[in-house]
Amino acid sequence: MARRSLSKLPSNPGTMFIDGEWVHGTREETIDVVNPATERSFAKVPRGSREDAKRALDSAADAQKGWEMLPPLERASYLKKMAALIRAKSEQLALVLTSEQGKPLFEARLEVEGSAAHFEYYAEFARRIEGDVLPSDNPAQTVMILRLPIGVVAAITPWNFPSAMVARKLAPALVTGNTVVVKPSSNTPLSAIEIVKIAEQAGIPKGVVNLVTGDGSEVGDELCGSRKTGLVTMTGSTEAGRKIMQRASAQMGKLILELGGKAPLIIWRDADLEWALRCALWARYWNCGQTCISAERMYLDREVKPKFMSKFVELTKGLRIGDPVSAGTDLGPMVSARERETSEEFIELARSEGSSVESGGLRPPSMPKGWYLEPTIIDDVGQDSPLVQKEIFGPVVPVLEVESFDQAIELANDSEYGLASYVFTRDNRNVMKAMHEIKFGETYINQVGPEQLQGAHTGFRMSGLGAEGSRHGLELYTQMKTCYVDWSDKPALPYLFPYT
Ligand code: NAD
């Protein structure tokens, strides 16, 4: 396919959306949005200020009661319209996404469809925001647990899924009656802006959805520390998650944090090796390895490791690195020069530790422009190495050997992270063992992700707090409230004053 021209994209699509209007904010300063495949800036968005964040929070707070008062089914009708509008514009949205983030257009299309599906899925919950009605310990009384909206939600999103992460937060927040301020990553603000434009087009009342672009340390910090924010839902690094927790603690702000990962992938001797290889390849390298559920360390049964390695190296070398808008590209560039340098530092470390770089390790000579990096396999690496312990958000993977399935589980669990994990085996006892003993929020057995809407996306340890997706994720956007209702003609309680 011929290279698509970025001139088809609006040159400056981005401003901020506050109280139903597209505004430039209080500052002149802007942030360049750079195409990772060309290293050229193709749009600018305002570098929002604390003042802009405060105005967006005021707008969301003012709109919240009116939005809450609508029947959930009416709120859901906006979500359904958004899903339809996203699908109608899907090709344009995918092109914006690829242009700012670098993933192959094929993957961008899947992500955009996933965004539409989030709105559709949570719209279906309009009739299922369920509380409890319970018998009281006292006569002629009823206990009711209601699920109310929390109020204003700050939705802070990362760059690796710049469309789907916005949808995953907006949809459950809105259907449960909250209003929202979106703060996208400065690397990739345009996809979030497109989703907010679609909310506007769907006719969502003014103030219900707001968007402020800018730095996490300023705009994000203001959103997290404000008394007006009822819930912060953030997807991003563990480091930023920790800062957000500290900031939100002043107001005892509620939190959903979807943070870093270091997913282990175990292949046992009885697995379908051909299938496991194809899955391992994709699980490590989709989105150029920039996925929180990426298979970031592989544990191979010693019986299959030699065969696995020779085939895995061959398949890795066969991946097509190229222009992400061209059909037939498997790996696009990484999102930024900084992210590529971080991955390169891990490759350097592997060399200095005496590990063996079995494939890749360099910038591909065929792509002199753009932040490309060859997919890289590291052998002879120890469990304690930072390559195995730290998140590598790029196409670099250490492979280790194990002697027993129990050892594989033990090494998999030896991590500060606990998000996703993968197991390939046909032995039912191993499957059950993995389900119970691998202490990670997700285990994919004989398959790969991405996670599905009805699953709870959640993590053990430093991978976060709460969950997204599923009815469990929805409930976190609600505040429980218990009401004790007396309906007797002659109310009486044995413990009131005066005591006898
Ligand atoms: P990041 O932490 O740098 O930024 C994420 C968002 O948080 C951005 O919008 C950023 O501006 C904001 N932010 C940063 N510091 C902040 C602060 N002090 N206060 C408020 N907001 C702040 O993450 P990233 O580099 O954009 O994304 C990559 C990371 O995201 C990886 O660690 C990856 O594992 C993680 N991730 C996790 C999931 C998941 O579901 N668990 C999904 C995708 C990405």
Side-chain angles (χ1 to χ4, degrees):
M1 190 195 288
R3 192 174 198 339
R4 304 252 191 113
S5 164
L6 288 180
S7 61
K8 283 193 183 155
L9 298 175
S11 62
N12 189 1
T15 51
M16 300 191 283
F17 194 61
I18 300 176
D19 204 21
E21 287 186 19
W22 291 97
V23 294
H24 282 282
T26 51
R27 269 205 198 115
E28 288 294 305
E29 216 181 317
T30 55
I31 299 170
D32 280 314
V33 185
V34 179
N35 184 329
T38 61
E39 303 181 29
R40 275 205 297 269
S41 163
F42 67 102
K44 290 181 192 301
V45 295
R47 192 179 294 281
S49 63
R50 287 189 184 274
E51 205 44 50
D52 297 321
K54 282 184 191 152
R55 284 181 48 225
L57 286 171
D58 288 346
S59 150
D62 291 348
Q64 197 272 324
K65 187 165 181 203
W67 183 243
E68 176 176 353
M69 288 301 139
L70 295 181
L73 203 58
E74 200 173 326
R75 296 198 293 262
S77 70
Y78 292 104
L79 270 60
K80 286 183 189 159
K81 270 188 221 158
M82 287 183 70
L85 287 166
I86 289 171
R87 291 203 172 102
K89 285 177 77 176
S90 62
E91 197 55 23
Q92 186 199 329
L93 297 180
L95 191 56
V96 169
L97 204 169
T98 288
S99 303
E100 66 176 350
Q101 198 264 340
K103 69 180 53 161
L105 200 50
F106 178 81
E107 289 182 17
R109 289 186 184 119
L110 293 179
E111 182 177 340
V112 168
E113 169 49 33
S115 304
H118 275 100
F119 286 105
E120 205 167 59
Y121 174 72
Y122 277 117
E124 289 168 6
F125 277 91
R127 292 192 176 98
R128 296 187 194 86
I129 304 168
E130 292 172 355
D132 298 308
V133 181
L134 302 157
S136 167
D137 295 347
N138 301 315
Q141 288 186 353
T142 302
V143 180
M144 283 183 266
I145 303 175
L146 311 184
R147 291 252 171 210
L148 301 179
I150 294 174
V152 173
V153 171
I156 301 179
T157 56
W159 49 259
N160 63 341
F161 288 88
S163 174
M165 293 301 110
V166 175
R168 183 149 90 181
K169 296 177 188 308
L170 261 186
L174 292 177
V175 79
T176 46
N178 301 283
T179 54
V180 184
V181 179
V182 178
K183 207 299 281 173
S185 163
S186 297
N187 284 334
T188 56
L190 304 184
S191 296
I193 289 171
E194 290 298 325
I195 301 262
V196 171
K197 278 188 196 164
I198 281 169
E200 183 191 21
Q201 232 182 312
I204 285 199
K206 86 177 172 124
V208 171
V209 176
N210 304 270
L211 176 139
V212 184
T213 49
D215 298 333
S217 55
E218 186 174 1
V219 170
D221 183 78
E222 187 62 41
L223 295 176
C224 296
S226 170
R227 278 182 67 181
K228 295 223 161 155
T229 304
L231 166 76
V232 178
T233 169
M234 177 270 197
T235 299
S237 61
T238 296
E239 192 189 338
R242 199 183 285 115
K243 284 187 190 147
I244 287 172
M245 244 179 133
Q246 279 163 358
R247 187 72 169 102
S249 69
Q251 310 297 340
M252 211 52 83
K254 293 179 175 45
L255 294 171
I256 302 171
L257 297 175
E258 298 296 326
L259 307 176
K262 187 75 189 172
L265 184 145
I266 299 170
I267 301 181
W268 199 238
R269 64 192 64 158
D270 55 28
D272 173 346
L273 194 59
E274 287 300 308
W275 173 244
L277 272 158
R278 287 188 63 200
C279 288
L281 194 74
W282 193 80
R284 171 63 281 197
Y285 299 128
W286 67 303
N287 199 14
C288 205
Q290 303 166 117
T291 304
C292 57
I293 63 165
S294 281
E296 288 200 22
R297 51 199 171 113
M298 297 190 182
Y299 295 102
L300 271 292
D301 181 337
R302 68 191 302 186
E303 278 189 25
V304 294
K305 186 167 173 244
K307 197 166 167 200
F308 173 88
M309 278 305 268
S310 70
K311 204 78 188 125
F312 192 52
V313 167
E314 182 190 324
L315 290 171
T316 296
K317 286 184 173 160
L319 289 170
R320 295 160 302 175
I321 305 173
D323 182 347
V325 292
S326 297
T329 290
D330 300 318
L331 262 75
M334 297 187 67
V335 73
S336 66
R338 204 182 92 195
E339 289 297 330
R340 180 171 67 175
E341 276 158 26
T342 305
S343 285
E344 287 174 330
E345 280 163 21
F346 277 108
I347 298 169
E348 264 325 296
L349 179 73
R351 291 197 172 102
S352 70
E353 283 184 345
S355 298
S356 146
V357 178
E358 296 288 312
S359 129
L362 299 170
R363 298 178 181 187
S366 58
M367 304 302 292
K369 208 65 186 149
W371 296 307
Y372 291 90
L373 183 63
E374 290 174 344
T376 303
I377 302 169
I378 314 279
D379 200 359
D380 302 323
V381 55
Q383 174 70 14
D384 293 338
S385 165
L387 283 119
V388 177
Q389 294 296 332
K390 300 285 166 209
E391 185 175 45
I392 308 179
F393 223 51
V396 180
V397 64
V399 182
L400 294 90
E401 185 176 297
V402 284
E403 288 180 8
S404 67
F405 198 75
D406 284 338
Q407 189 197 11
I409 291 184
E410 193 188 320
L411 296 181
N413 283 334
D414 172 30
S415 174
E416 63 189 28
Y417 295 109
L419 194 61
S421 53
Y422 303 82
V423 175
F424 290 83
T425 176
R426 285 192 278 211
D427 181 330
N428 284 341
R429 285 164 309 173
N430 285 343
V431 169
M432 294 310 290
K433 221 176 230 255
M435 284 170 57
H436 288 273
E437 294 182 14
I438 296 186
K439 303 296 185 193
F440 279 62
E442 279 167 7
T443 300
Y444 295 90
I445 295 169
N446 298 320
Q447 68 162 94
V448 293
E451 61 270 19
Q452 296 182 17
L453 300 167
Q454 58 274 38
H457 184 54
T458 180
F460 281 64
R461 301 181 289 281
M462 306 267 267
S463 286
L465 289 179
E468 290 198 307
S470 79
R471 68 183 167 83
H472 304 288
L474 181 94
E475 284 176 356
L476 296 175
Y477 286 85
T478 65
Q479 170 68 57
M480 276 189 283
K481 171 172 178 163
T482 307
C483 297
Y484 299 90
V485 184
D486 187 298
W487 45 272
S488 62
D489 292 334
K490 291 186 184 162
L493 290 170
Y495 48 78
L496 299 185
F497 294 131
Y499 294 147
T500 55

